[in-house]
Amino acid sequence: MIQKSKHIYCLFLIFLGFSVLAQNSSWQAAPFEVVNPNYKTFKTTQYAHVFSGSKHNIVRLAPELQGLTGVELPLESLKNGINLPLKLKFKEPVQVLIGIFQEKDNATYRQLNNAKLLLENGVTITGLPPVNVYAVSFSKGTHFINPEGKGLFVVLGVIKNNQKLLSRNAEFPDGKLWNPTFIVEGFSDEKPLFEIIGGENKPVIDEGFSGTEGIQGGFEGGRVVKVGDVYHMFPTERAGEAGIEMYYDRVKTKIGHWTSKDAIHWKRESTILQASGTYAITEDDNPMNDRRAAIWSYMPVFSEKENKWYGYYLAYTVHKEIQPNHSFGRIWRCESTVEGIAGIAGPYKDTGIIIEPGLDSESWEGRQGVASFFPYKVGDKYLGFYSGAFPFQSWADYPKKSGKGWFVGLAESNSLEGPWSRIKDGSNPIKSMHPFFVENPIVSQLPNGMYIAVFDGGPDGWGHHLPNMMAYSLSKDGKNWSEAHYLPIETKVNKWWDIMRTPLCLIPEGNDVYTIVYNAIDLKKRFHPTGMVKVKLNRDVMESRLKELE
């Protein structure tokens, strides 16, 4: 009887908890009118940009606020105290939800007295201090929300006055952990270049699918190309071994060849390359170590001049204990032994290393060395993105004392075959795309000739606070690249991942529709799946972006 009573009591507490959550997550919005000219509203949701003329956006918010209507205030004039006080008109008594930034003794931020604190640490806004959310009551009619017109704050919503509001600490992190702020496509003041129009609501390749036998850890990186009506994917297969720790999935890798007619249903055709999986015996870049211990990032490129497919791929030395374990990357080139466009399936033969750590390396390339490579034609020559990570502050830090950062630079050549030379005009690494995280860029051209690079925009996890979205950057000349824009594909497809990783392509399908195949991580699984999404190009925005680059 005692046990039964305890059981009923526990069920009651669970029910009560759900009731409280339901009350907290169902705040009823009230209609209002913004009287100030040129002030816009926004939907209070993840990625919303809360100030006009800025890149600050919401990356965490309490569910109670989801879907309310906020007011987009002018950032710079608010900071400088020169904006007109915000004026709102209400048809009924309301409570205005005001976010106050919690940074003591800083006159930049508005202070608020005699208001009810509803959500402590209730919102995270990139680049700004923690936000407490207060409820301020107003009667029916027209009111000034900030009569003094000074101090930075955010209006997150207006709700009906006659509802019970429970206070709590949402415990969201400090927005200053996200530095710098970033542009989310479709949420900023800028019109989006791409509209996300749909895709698969679950992985297109997942654990247990045909062809995944013997692949313990799933997929990461590589490239997808379309030849005729067939998609060809060359992913890094994190093979590992059954019964061996999860990290070994990243060491013993394969490059597989998969095909599909729709980018949804995939068939594994063959293994293109196989890594040794052998750990290093010294801590430096030493020929005693197996320099092909792990193989990653295979990029197929067709040479029209030689009428055959080339493959560029990354081979690492792997140390079992020193971070980063994947070190001293080298880029190899291979070529298909079968001529013509149909020779994409290979087999392939190695032709040698095209770029590696050496006397012309720069300290930003770091311990990870040359960590990816993608060549593309510009005029009568070729440029190639190459990357580095875990930089050395100076060469005195070699080989073990590395910092944080994932960078890209450009190399150049007169042909796809090489020789390739790092550009030495001071432009590397390229920080215009993002100051410290650009990974695995793949380049193509839009219909107006503008170059576009799609890449991994960095995780929100593993101790990092990055956008957690795939990104793109634009260039008119192939050398100078614009600030990254990030694609929130979870707004149109079910978010089955925790960590977004790498786009493998941007394939034109006609009618300005493009296919993106991507890798991502569900942290509940060892196996990293593959997904697919469709986006649609806005040609008017494309032309305006080209003019901005002139």
Side-chain angles (χ1 to χ4, degrees):
M1 183 68 179
I2 293 174
Q3 291 295 326
K4 185 176 181 181
S5 297
K6 285 183 177 179
H7 180 66
I8 293 171
Y9 180 67
C10 289
L11 287 175
F12 171 75
L13 289 179
I14 292 171
F15 173 78
L16 182 62
F18 278 120
S19 298
V20 170
L21 180 62
Q23 290 179 26
N24 266 349
S25 59
S26 58
W27 291 352
Q28 190 174 1
F32 67 94
E33 178 186 343
V34 181
V35 179
N36 305 68
N38 302 321
Y39 276 42
K40 297 188 297 184
T41 60
F42 65 87
K43 184 177 181 181
T44 305
T45 184
Q46 189 177 29
Y47 307 134
H49 285 236
V50 296
F51 301 111
S52 59
S54 87
K55 294 175 284 186
H56 298 287
N57 59 83
I58 295 172
V59 287
R60 300 281 194 280
L61 80 160
E64 296 93 316
L65 303 172
Q66 178 70 35
L68 296 176
T69 300
V71 181
E72 195 174 276
L73 303 175
L75 178 66
E76 291 306 317
S77 56
L78 262 179
K79 282 183 177 180
N80 299 327
I82 58 175
N83 61 295
L84 292 174
L86 175 62
K87 198 173 185 180
L88 301 181
K89 184 177 182 179
F90 310 115
K91 296 181 179 179
E92 59 184 277
V94 300
Q95 298 188 71
V96 178
L97 303 180
I98 295 180
I100 298 298
F101 297 100
Q102 300 304 297
E103 187 164 279
K104 294 181 179 179
D105 303 320
N106 190 334
T108 301
Y109 304 109
R110 181 184 179 187
Q111 302 304 308
L112 194 62
N113 300 313
N114 302 318
K116 181 180 180 181
L117 175 60
L118 284 181
L119 295 169
E120 189 175 355
N121 302 304
V123 181
T124 299
I125 299 175
T126 54
L128 294 171
V131 179
N132 287 351
V133 181
Y134 294 83
V136 181
S137 297
F138 290 91
S139 61
K140 177 182 177 180
T142 301
H143 298 271
F144 289 111
I145 305 304
N146 59 325
E148 70 279 8
K150 294 181 180 180
L152 196 63
F153 68 101
V154 58
V155 176
L156 294 162
V158 178
I159 59 176
K160 291 182 178 296
N161 194 49
N162 58 348
Q163 56 187 311
K164 187 176 181 180
L165 305 176
L166 299 178
S167 302
R168 68 186 183 93
N169 188 342
E171 300 182 344
F172 288 132
D174 187 341
K176 288 189 175 181
L177 295 171
W178 280 260
N179 187 21
T181 53
F182 47 88
I183 301 170
V184 182
E185 194 87 334
F187 286 87
S188 72
D189 293 336
E190 299 181 36
K191 291 184 178 179
L193 179 63
F194 291 105
E195 177 191 358
I196 299 144
I197 58 175
E200 293 301 295
N201 289 317
K202 59 185 179 179
V204 296
I205 307 178
D206 205 346
E207 186 174 15
F209 282 31
S210 177
T212 63
E213 299 82 7
I215 303 173
Q216 315 303 315
F219 304 91
E220 166 50 21
R223 191 186 186 196
V224 176
V225 295
K226 192 175 184 182
V227 178
D229 62 352
V230 177
Y231 299 88
H232 295 261
M233 179 168 61
F234 296 85
T236 302
E237 298 173 347
R238 305 169 71 255
E241 285 187 13
I244 305 297
E245 71 272 11
M246 184 175 172
Y247 182 81
Y248 195 56
D249 301 348
R250 304 178 68 240
V251 181
K252 191 172 183 180
T253 57
K254 300 177 183 178
I255 303 299
H257 175 211
W258 296 67
T259 60
S260 175
K261 286 292 189 76
D262 57 9
I264 300 172
H265 304 91
W266 291 90
K267 177 185 178 184
R268 193 178 191 278
E269 301 288 353
S270 66
T271 298
I272 301 296
L273 294 162
Q274 169 73 65
S276 71
T278 304
Y279 285 107
I281 58 176
T282 73
E283 63 189 23
D284 59 347
D285 186 12
N286 193 313
M288 294 175 63
N289 300 321
D290 189 334
R291 289 173 167 173
R292 295 171 64 91
I295 291 175
W296 290 76
S297 191
Y298 187 91
M299 299 292 175
V301 177
F302 188 70
S303 170
E304 295 185 359
K305 177 183 175 183
E306 299 297 329
N307 191 34
K308 65 176 63 174
W309 285 93
Y310 291 169
Y312 299 84
Y313 66 93
L314 164 64
Y316 279 125
T317 298
V318 182
H319 198 281
K320 200 167 188 177
E321 297 172 356
I322 302 172
Q323 292 292 335
N325 304 87
H326 289 71
S327 307
F328 313 122
R330 288 169 162 78
I331 302 299
W332 287 72
R333 185 177 73 83
C334 60
E335 59 184 44
S336 177
T337 60
V338 178
E339 291 190 352
I341 198 78
I344 190 169
Y348 287 80
K349 64 178 182 180
D350 281 323
T351 60
I353 296 169
I354 65 163
I355 189 167
E356 63 181 326
L359 294 177
D360 59 344
S361 295
E362 297 181 321
S363 60
W364 63 264
E365 297 175 35
R367 181 174 171 86
Q368 203 157 62
V370 187
S372 70
F373 185 80
F374 189 88
Y376 55 98
K377 192 171 185 180
V378 177
D380 58 357
K381 68 177 182 180
Y382 289 86
L383 296 179
F385 271 119
Y386 73 99
S387 64
F390 296 87
F392 299 119
Q393 288 296 108
S394 71
W395 287 117
D397 292 335
Y398 175 89
K400 294 191 296 183
K401 188 180 177 182
S402 59
K404 292 292 178 69
W406 291 259
F407 303 103
V408 293
L410 285 172
E412 59 186 351
S413 175
N414 291 323
S415 70
L416 283 171
E417 297 78 17
W420 288 87
S421 301
R422 293 165 170 84
I423 291 177
K424 293 289 188 176
D425 62 2
S427 60
N428 287 336
I430 299 170
K431 294 187 177 182
S432 57
M433 300 160 80
H434 187 279
F436 59 87
F437 198 102
V438 177
E439 199 167 52
N440 298 317
I442 293 176
V443 179
S444 55
Q445 285 182 277
L446 296 176
N448 64 352
M450 189 161 46
Y451 295 89
I452 181 168
V454 293
F455 56 92
D456 176 357
D460 183 0
W462 305 324
H464 302 291
H465 295 284
L466 289 157
N468 206 31
M469 291 173 274
M470 64 182 74
Y472 73 84
S473 175
L474 301 172
S475 175
K476 182 181 179 182
D477 58 8
K479 186 173 186 294
N480 299 285
W481 290 88
S482 70
E483 182 178 3
H485 285 59
Y486 297 84
L487 298 176
I489 67 173
E490 60 265 42
T491 59
K492 291 293 177 69
V493 299
N494 292 342
K495 187 181 178 183
W496 52 262
W497 63 90
D498 297 297
I499 304 291
M500 174 56 67
R501 289 305 315 270
T502 306
L504 278 64
C505 58
L506 183 68
I507 296 175
E509 306 288 12
N511 297 319
D512 294 327
V513 172
Y514 290 78
T515 296
I516 301 175
V517 178
Y518 61 93
N519 298 135
I521 298 174
D522 179 345
L523 291 174
K524 298 184 294 296
K525 298 179 178 180
R526 178 174 177 172
F527 192 98
H528 297 177
T530 296
M532 187 275 282
V533 68
K534 300 277 189 180
V535 298
K536 188 174 180 66
L537 176 71
N538 184 319
R539 289 201 174 225
D540 290 337
V541 175
M542 176 183 69
E543 295 302 334
S544 67
R545 296 280 182 89
L546 180 61
K547 291 179 181 178
E548 291 171 6
L549 294 173
E550 292 177 350

